[in-house]
């Protein structure tokens, strides 16, 4: 996707090619969580559809109910999938006790549960954006039971 201002914004905020990139020196969990929660494209699309993303499980259900018009746009699909995964992760981190962001050595953000299980929420977001299954709310329900 070639949107100049978006590319500049993502580079400024540590994002490259739709995936968050972090280095060994990143040690501010609150700052990382805030950055990962931005999900600007997803929030814009949700807002246009009248869905408020308030970092709750019910907002994941509302996203699951959206008509997937984005699937017709091959350029925005990867960005939207990335945002959907990061939003899912943000909801999990904010609402599931003990869940936290973990950054793999390659810079990929994942959510680590107290059980030690790591959830690749970005991969889940891409799958959801391209096929709608599994639903974000279903993934949340499974994770919140761990």
């Amino acid at each position: 996707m070639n949107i100049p201002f978006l590319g500049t914004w993502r580079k400024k905020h540590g994002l490259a090619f739709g995936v968050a990139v972090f280095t060994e020196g990143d040690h501010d969990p609150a700052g990382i969580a805030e950055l990962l929660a931005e999900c600007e494209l997803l929030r814009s699309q949700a807002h246009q559809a009248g869905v408020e993303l308030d970092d709750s499980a019910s907002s994941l259900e509302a996203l699951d109910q959206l008509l997937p018009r984005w699937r017709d746009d091959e350029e925005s699909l990867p960005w939207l999938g990335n945002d959907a995964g990061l939003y899912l992760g943000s909801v999990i981190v904010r609402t599931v006790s003990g869940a936290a962001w973990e950054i793999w050595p390659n810079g990929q953000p994942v959510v680590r549960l107290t059980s030690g299980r790591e959830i690749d929420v970005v991969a889940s977001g891409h799958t959801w954006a391209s096929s709608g299954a599994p639903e974000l709310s279903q993934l949340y329900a499974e994770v919140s039971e761990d």
Side-chain angles (χ1 to χ4, degrees):
M1 175 164 51
N2 187 14
I3 302 175
F5 76 88
L6 186 58
T8 303
W9 182 90
R10 289 183 184 268
K11 286 178 186 171
K12 178 180 170 188
H13 289 84
L15 295 171
F17 307 110
V19 177
V21 178
F22 300 94
T23 63
E24 284 293 318
D26 293 326
H27 295 291
D28 178 15
I32 290 171
E34 182 180 332
L35 175 66
L36 294 176
E38 297 231 354
C39 313
E40 197 168 326
L41 180 59
L42 180 70
R43 289 182 188 279
S44 172
Q45 295 232 351
H47 178 74
Q48 289 173 3
V51 172
E52 180 185 355
L53 299 185
D54 60 0
D55 299 330
S56 68
S58 62
S59 68
L60 295 172
E61 293 171 7
L63 283 173
D64 288 336
Q65 300 304 311
L66 291 179
L67 289 174
R69 292 187 174 101
W70 58 82
R71 291 190 190 131
D72 295 333
D73 185 353
E74 301 252 340
E75 289 185 13
S76 68
L77 189 61
W79 294 94
L80 189 69
N82 190 65
D83 278 6
L86 294 176
Y87 183 71
L88 170 64
S90 295
V91 172
I92 293 169
V93 167
R94 289 184 174 150
T95 61
V96 174
S97 180
W101 285 108
E102 179 78 22
I103 308 302
W104 283 345
N106 67 357
Q108 177 77 2
V110 297
V111 173
R112 179 179 289 238
L113 305 176
T114 55
S115 67
R117 177 178 170 204
E118 291 181 339
I119 314 298
D120 187 348
V121 290
V122 173
S124 297
H126 283 277
T127 302
W128 174 83
S130 63
S131 70
E135 294 180 335
L136 298 174
S137 59
Q138 178 186 357
L139 290 167
Y140 175 83
E142 291 171 10
V143 167
S144 65
E145 290 177 359
D146 275 1

